[in-house]
Structure formats: C-alpha cells, structure tokens
Amino acid sequence: MTTRFMVTTPIYYVNDRPHIGQARTTIAADVLARFHRMAGEETFFLTGTDEHGSKVEEKAKKLGMTPRELCDLNVGYFKRAWESLNISYDYFVRTTDVRHEKAIVRLLDRLYKARTKNGEEVIYQGEYSGLYCLGCEKFITEKDLVNGLCPDHQQEPKRITEKNYFFRLSSYLKQLEDLIRRDELMITPEEKKRETLGLLKQELEDFSISREKVSWGIPLPFDPSQNAYVWVDALPNYISAVGYGDDPEQFKKWWKEGKVIHLIGKDILKFHTIFWPSMLLALGEALPNQIFVHGFFTINGQKMSKTLGNVIYPETYVELYGSDGARYLLLTQFPFGQDGDIQEERFVEKYNADLANDLGNLVSRTLKMVGSYCDGTIPQASVYESSDENLIREATGCSDLVWWHIQEISINQAIDQIMKLVRSTNRYIENQAPWTLVKNNNMERLQTVLYVSCETLRIISALFYPVLPQKCTRIRELLGFSGEDMIPTLNEANQWGRLKSGTKVSIPESLFPRLEKTGKSAIKVGYEKSKEAVVEESNIPLEVSYDEFSKIDFRVAEVKSAEKVKGADKLLKLKIEIGTEEREIVAGVAEHYTPEEMVGKKIVVVANLQPAKIRGIESNGMLLAARDGNILSLVCLDKDVKGGSKIS
C-alpha cells in the first residue's frame, strides 16, 4: 500500500469567480484525499489559482482595477466557495505568491542551462508567428479553427509575431511516448491515453516559454525583457507547492517518494500529458504517477456560458441543498471522467430519493427505534440468524469494494456501492419488522436486529464520510462517538462489533429534510449571484448609449439606518427613504464609511433597477460614488435637498 498520496486539481484561472465545473473537480479531489487519509496514508491535497497572463491583465483593465486587485478579489471567491463545500485542501497555491515565483525563476534558470542528450540547448531563442487565442491563452493552428473562430471561445484569434524563447520539445517526445506506453506515466481513462499517443504522432513543434508583449507575469531570469508564458508559469505549481526550490526534504517526500495524481479537464490534456512531463524530463525530475482526465458537462443540454445566462456558482447549490447535498448531487449526475449533462430538474428528485428517503430515513428510523424500544442505548446482540449474517457480510465487505473503486478513481461506483448498502439495510429493517417483534414481546430478537442496524449504520457513516463529511460526523455523534473516534478509518469500516452495547444514542433531527419542487432554479439563483458579484466589484464601468442613459432614474435618498452585512467586509445594508418610499439597498462602501457615518446622508441612488439578492438580502437600487485609486467618495447632496428629488 502506498504510504504517501498527493492529489492535485488544476489551478483555476482568476479572470472570474468559480463555477460548478471547477467545483466538481475540486469535490472529487477532496473525496479522494479524504479516502486516502482514512486508509492511513499521509496525504497532500493541492489546489489553487492561476493568476498571470493577458486575460487577467485585460479583464482588470476593463474593470478599472490592477491585475493584483482582480486576482485578490477572485481568489477570495474561490476560497469562500471551497469553504462552503467543506474542501479539505492542504495547500492553496497562488502563482503570484513569492514562493511560487522564486520556484519558477529557479526552474527557468535550470532549463536555460540544461542540454539535451545531443548537446543542444533545451531553451533557445527564435521568432514565432501564429494565431493566438486570448481566451485559451495559447497559440492555435488554422486546422483548429471552426469557421475562422476558436471552437472553445467563438472568437477570431489574433496573428502575433514575437521573438520568444522556445523549449526543445522535439528532443523528449520519443522518451515520453515510451513512458506512456509502459504506463510509467499513466494516463486515464484509456481513451485519453490513446488521444495523447495520437498527439505525439503529429510531429509537435517546440513551444514558446515566454511572451514579450504581456507585462503581467514572471520575468525570465536570463532575459527580464520577457515574461514567462502563462502555462510555463502555471504547470510547475505542482512542485513549487511541495518545496521545489526552497525545501528539498519536503519535495523529496511528496514528489519523489509519494504517489502523485493530477486531476485535469480534457481541454488542458496536451499541456499536462506532453508539455509538463517533457519539462520534468529536461530537468531530470520525477514525473507524476497518473494524470486522470475528466470530461465536460452541459447544463440542461446547453454549454455553460455567461452569454446564455446559465453559469451556476457552487454557493448556489450549497444554498439550495446544503454543503453535503451539493457535494453529493454534483458527483452523482454522471460518472466522473466522462462527458455528461447536469439536469437541474432531477436535483430535488435525486436529493429526496437518495438522501432524504434512503439515508436520512435509515438514520431516523434506526435511532428512534433504539430510543423507543431500548431506552436510548445500543442493545446487546445475541444469536445471529442468516438474515443478519447476510447483511453483516455485505457491510464488512463493502469497504474493500469502495476502496478498490476509489483507487481506480471510479468515484460514482464507490458511491453506488455505499448506497447499495444503505438500501440493503432499509430492506433488512422492513423484513425484520422490529415493531412486530415488540408487539410479540420477542425482545432478544429485537435487540439483535437493532444492533445489526446500528452497527451497519456505523459502517455506512465511515464509508460515506469522504462524500458527506458534515452529515456523517453528525451520524457518528448520534451513535455516541466523540473525540478522535469521530474521524473514521477504512480499517474500522471492515470490522464488525465496534459499537459497544449500552452506549447512549441521541434521537436525530431530520438529517436531510425533504425538499419540495418550488420551481426555484439554480440557474436563476446563479444569475442573481452574478449580479451580486458585479455589485461587490463596485467599479465596473457602465457603457450605455445616450438613449439608454436617459432611462436611468437618479433620485435623492436619505439614509435612515445602516449596518454591516454579516460575513462581508465590503458591504453595508442601508435603509433609505426616497421621498415617502422606504427601501433597503446593499452597498460596497464598508471599507470607506462606518454605519454611523452613513446615517443622515443625502445620497444619489439609481431607483429603477430590478431588485438583486446580495448575501441573501434584497437590494433595491444602487448608490453613486466616485473612486480614485483606493479612495472612494459618495456623491452626497446638501441637507436641504428634498428626498425623492429627481436628478437630471
């Protein structure tokens, strides 16, 4: 058994806030990390953000921000999203971290000094002219285009000619192909291995490692006039985070001695399966053990995009289904690793069927019967019958099956195996009918049936813990666990008899309250969240025509009360009067004005906006303010100006 395990997600680009596609990958990595910890393996779970490059630079300019300000803003969104989903990462890497930048400088310097087996420079200078897609942050060929456009971003690439530095990829392709064929670099699923081998047959060109016309990046140590190409900066995050360049012992422990698995999306396959391992070969460093490539998904049959208005943020699902519910639903829509479709109308149905009815009902009925029939304590089992032994066999054997699926990164099959045990336990209770045993005063048999039910529930709580950490912690608490025993192990999950008779149990609340189909769409809620993001950024320029501008209704409003919005450093909730009308608005001014300073001010508001939900508060309007760098000043009027007056 591997004693050290390292799992990584891609580092996510910060030109926007996280969406459920990125959340699904991160949840999957979290489940793997938690299972390997349960197996007794020392585990390192890495995620983070990719923050350099022209996309960030251009988006920041559009928003009137510096690139660093935009990065800090969106990194905050990522960290809050992962916190809401209970993601147990060990390290969050940012490519703007000083530690990472130092590692990149060291890596580039080593590559610049390195030579191939033929004595050629690994890094050489040359001129490149090609089509560059800003959305992809990469050069693409004519044959990649569809009707002259990048197929992924539906935009026409720019033709760019630059003097850059190149990595001599051609010198490592044959060696890399041999390693992939022998599975020394394992690429899964199998069709992605075949796709990579197909790319290797296409006589791939050497790739550029630098850009001379992008200012937001890490300067090359051997030519500061150029910055590292964003992919060359981003890919080494996997080693900078574990000590490359500053902690040799840590680097050896995780990268050289542990098992390393990268989880990536299929759109970045070439960079991870060809460019990244080739760079490592040139450095003489170990390769990752496995690269697992997952597919894409659509939302109700459509590609997720802001243009279509169907981008869903992970916090939206947490709000609708709870943290564990969101984790479960995102993982179980279709097998991880394949393309699929997320069908929103099935979410409530699946939540109710799997979590409320099957798992939630099992917990509730089992512990309530222990409370009613056994004075609230775990009973003593006596002689086991064949029905008991069949369930015991299934329960104690479930751990090995689940662990096998996890090692294969077949997360859906692992979950299916646990749910099969949940349903078997519910059938067992139905068939044994403890209520009838009570009626017939068959207390010895009743105690055995309830012990078997509780002990199987303990095993389920252990196996489901990596997927449903909050609810399984609660189940174990209800079963009388405390302290270190609250965190389960795989060894515990394949043993029978760990529950001690006489242990006091608690009568549970509803773990997964049944949901009604309210028609509340996650897409609609997500759209409201996107408006919230615009408000929080608070300095996005408004580009409108004269006719459109004339439709904006500016009014004078008096601030009657103000308070901070819980959990939001930038937001104040204001109660305002526009003439005789009272409203509430949420404004991103808390870093510049205290609630006390706001009360009594005559401010200017946009009064004819559609209400927007911001941190769960309905905001009915926006106020006007001027920004100069870090200084923000409200547009305020004299006290004698009547509230409700129209600004013209």
Side-chain angles (χ1 to χ4, degrees):
M1 178 181 284
T2 304
T3 57
R4 292 198 186 103
F5 175 77
M6 177 176 170
V7 61
T8 73
T9 71
I11 52 172
Y12 303 116
Y13 213 57
V14 291
N15 62 326
D16 211 337
R17 60 194 300 188
H19 55 68
I20 58 169
Q22 295 157 329
R24 192 167 185 263
T25 306
T26 310
I27 295 166
D30 185 65
V31 169
L32 295 178
R34 288 177 185 270
F35 264 114
H36 281 268
R37 292 184 193 118
M38 280 177 59
E41 297 182 359
E42 198 175 356
T43 299
F44 190 90
F45 171 17
L46 173 66
T47 190
T49 44
D50 181 4
E51 302 182 26
H52 288 128
S54 51
K55 272 198 294 188
V56 168
E57 191 174 17
E58 292 201 8
K59 178 71 177 286
K61 185 177 180 180
K62 181 181 177 183
L63 298 180
M65 306 168 81
T66 66
R68 181 71 196 207
E69 286 173 337
L70 177 61
C71 291
D72 289 346
L73 174 72
N74 283 330
V75 165
Y77 284 129
F78 274 93
K79 288 188 173 182
R80 287 196 294 273
W82 298 166
E83 182 181 1
S84 75
L85 288 165
N86 210 355
I87 303 299
S88 63
Y89 60 81
D90 295 289
Y91 193 94
F92 190 101
V93 64
R94 297 182 60 179
T95 56
T96 54
D97 288 340
V98 172
R99 184 190 190 201
H100 175 78
E101 291 185 355
K102 286 182 177 179
I104 296 303
V105 168
R106 180 173 186 270
L107 180 145
L108 290 170
D109 187 59
R110 284 186 62 196
L111 285 176
Y112 186 66
K113 294 173 181 176
R115 295 294 182 269
T116 69
K117 289 181 179 179
N118 296 329
E120 297 175 298
E121 297 173 323
V122 171
I123 301 297
Y124 64 92
Q125 193 170 24
E127 186 173 274
Y128 186 85
S129 179
L131 298 172
Y132 187 81
C133 173
L134 180 63
C136 296
E137 292 259 25
K138 67 180 180 182
F139 288 97
I140 57 178
T141 64
E142 294 278 0
K143 66 181 180 181
D144 293 325
L145 304 180
V146 176
N147 297 322
L149 304 177
C150 167
D152 291 332
H153 294 91
Q154 293 300 302
Q155 62 184 24
E156 186 177 351
K158 297 178 181 178
R159 182 161 291 279
I160 292 176
T161 300
E162 289 184 353
K163 283 187 177 179
N164 294 337
Y165 288 87
F166 290 81
F167 175 83
R168 205 176 296 275
L169 179 66
S170 52
S171 296
Y172 300 96
L173 295 180
K174 181 63 174 71
Q175 182 183 0
L176 179 61
E177 181 181 356
D178 291 342
L179 291 169
I180 292 171
R181 288 191 182 280
R182 296 196 302 266
D183 283 337
E184 292 183 38
L185 172 59
M186 183 180 291
I187 300 171
T188 53
E190 183 66 24
E191 61 266 23
K192 299 306 178 186
K193 174 181 176 179
R194 292 194 296 269
E195 183 178 340
T196 302
L197 291 172
L199 288 172
L200 289 169
K201 292 184 180 300
Q202 295 180 10
E203 298 182 1
L204 297 171
E205 297 178 346
D206 296 345
F207 63 85
S208 173
I209 68 157
S210 68
R211 297 291 310 279
E212 65 176 358
K213 296 178 182 177
V214 176
S215 59
W216 179 238
I218 300 174
L220 300 183
F222 45 85
D223 186 349
S225 70
Q226 299 210 14
N227 283 338
Y229 183 33
V230 63
W231 283 99
V232 175
D233 164 9
L235 288 165
N237 86 88
Y238 302 123
I239 56 177
S240 73
V242 290
Y244 178 83
D246 67 0
D247 193 337
E249 287 302 311
Q250 191 80 350
F251 182 60
K252 177 184 176 185
K253 173 182 175 179
W254 291 112
W255 192 257
K256 297 184 177 182
E257 296 179 348
K259 180 178 181 179
V260 179
I261 294 180
H262 295 328
L263 301 186
I264 67 164
K266 66 180 183 179
D267 57 326
I268 51 178
L269 177 141
K270 180 167 70 172
F271 295 96
H272 281 79
T273 63
I274 297 177
F275 290 6
W276 172 229
S278 295
M279 290 166 61
L280 290 168
L281 289 174
L283 290 166
E285 300 291 357
L287 304 189
N289 299 85
Q290 184 176 359
I291 300 173
F292 184 91
V293 187
H294 64 76
F296 286 167
F297 61 79
T298 50
I299 304 288
N300 299 328
Q302 293 183 307
K303 183 178 179 180
M304 187 167 59
S305 76
K306 280 197 168 183
T307 304
L308 294 174
N310 65 350
V311 175
I312 304 175
Y313 301 116
E315 302 98 307
T316 306
Y317 280 145
V318 173
E319 181 182 324
L320 293 175
Y321 306 108
S323 178
D324 281 3
R327 289 167 65 99
Y328 183 85
L329 292 169
L330 284 172
L331 285 176
T332 56
Q333 285 290 293
F334 54 88
F336 188 68
Q338 299 179 14
D339 290 341
D341 184 51
I342 286 184
Q343 298 176 15
E344 199 182 3
E345 69 274 8
R346 293 186 60 242
F347 269 45
V348 171
E349 177 186 328
K350 188 164 184 63
Y351 175 98
N352 285 337
D354 292 5
L355 299 180
N357 293 354
D358 289 338
L359 179 57
N361 187 43
L362 174 62
V363 175
S364 178
R365 73 196 308 198
T366 301
L367 294 178
K368 281 181 179 178
M369 286 189 291
V370 172
S372 299
Y373 304 151
C374 302
D375 297 324
T377 60
I378 300 292
Q380 177 72 52
S382 52
V383 178
Y384 290 133
E385 296 182 358
S386 60
S387 57
D388 310 321
E389 291 169 348
N390 289 338
L391 184 59
I392 293 169
R393 207 162 25 245
E394 182 179 350
T396 53
C398 191
S399 175
D400 288 342
L401 292 171
V402 168
W403 179 234
W404 185 85
H405 286 306
I406 289 300
Q407 290 177 301
E408 295 293 308
I409 316 184
S410 301
I411 296 172
N412 296 77
Q413 288 89 330
I415 292 173
D416 289 345
Q417 201 67 49
I418 306 167
M419 283 305 303
K420 181 181 175 184
L421 179 58
V422 169
R423 293 176 183 124
S424 293
T425 311
N426 275 320
R427 282 195 301 272
Y428 168 82
I429 292 172
E430 287 295 324
N431 292 335
Q432 300 307 310
W435 45 91
T436 302
L437 296 173
V438 170
K439 186 177 178 181
N440 295 336
N441 201 30
N442 190 350
M443 303 309 290
E444 188 175 88
R445 179 64 191 148
L446 170 73
Q447 290 178 347
T448 299
V449 168
L450 290 183
Y451 183 85
V452 169
S453 301
C454 288
E455 181 67 348
T456 306
L457 183 58
R458 174 192 64 79
I459 290 173
I460 290 167
S461 75
L463 294 177
F464 244 150
Y465 174 80
V467 181
L468 308 170
Q470 290 181 345
K471 299 300 185 183
C472 287
T473 297
R474 180 59 178 150
I475 293 170
R476 295 174 74 78
E477 186 178 47
L478 293 169
L479 286 170
F481 285 98
S482 61
E484 293 182 358
D485 291 336
M486 291 291 286
I487 305 299
T489 66
L490 275 182
N491 185 51
E492 168 205 322
N494 61 22
Q495 295 179 1
W496 187 260
R498 295 290 291 264
L499 278 180
K500 296 179 180 178
S501 61
T503 301
K504 194 74 176 173
V505 302
S506 302
I507 308 302
E509 69 287 355
S510 179
L511 278 187
F512 294 98
R514 188 173 174 80
L515 301 177
E516 299 299 327
K517 288 190 175 182
T518 62
K520 191 175 184 181
S521 163
I523 292 174
K524 185 176 179 181
V525 174
Y527 177 69
E528 295 300 327
K529 289 283 185 185
S530 71
K531 291 198 289 185
E532 172 185 332
V534 171
V535 173
E536 287 195 21
E537 286 166 6
S538 73
N539 56 359
I540 298 176
L542 186 66
E543 298 176 4
V544 295
S545 68
Y546 180 85
D547 288 340
E548 290 171 319
F549 181 78
S550 67
K551 297 174 185 176
I552 301 174
D553 186 15
F554 294 105
R555 296 279 176 172
V556 178
E558 182 176 354
V559 180
K560 307 302 290 185
S561 66
E563 61 184 81
K564 285 192 172 183
V565 175
K566 187 177 180 181
D569 295 336
K570 297 182 180 180
L571 301 180
L572 291 181
K573 181 175 76 170
L574 309 178
K575 185 172 285 186
I576 62 172
E577 278 187 359
I578 305 175
T580 58
E581 181 189 359
E582 281 196 355
R583 293 189 185 185
E584 280 188 346
I585 64 172
V586 177
V589 298
E591 293 178 318
H592 307 275
Y593 293 89
T594 66
E596 294 75 21
E597 288 176 313
M598 291 298 300
V599 176
K601 287 188 182 296
K602 291 283 183 71
I603 61 174
V604 178
V605 298
V606 182
N608 61 337
L609 293 174
Q610 288 288 330
K613 273 284 183 73
I614 303 175
R615 294 295 174 96
I617 304 167
E618 186 173 273
S619 180
N620 199 351
M622 294 179 71
L623 58 74
L624 265 62
R627 181 184 288 275
D628 181 10
N630 292 324
I631 300 172
L632 182 139
S633 180
L634 293 175
V635 176
C636 295
L637 300 174
D638 293 338
K639 296 283 186 182
D640 56 355
V641 177
K642 187 177 179 181
S645 299
K646 186 175 177 66
I647 305 294
S648 60

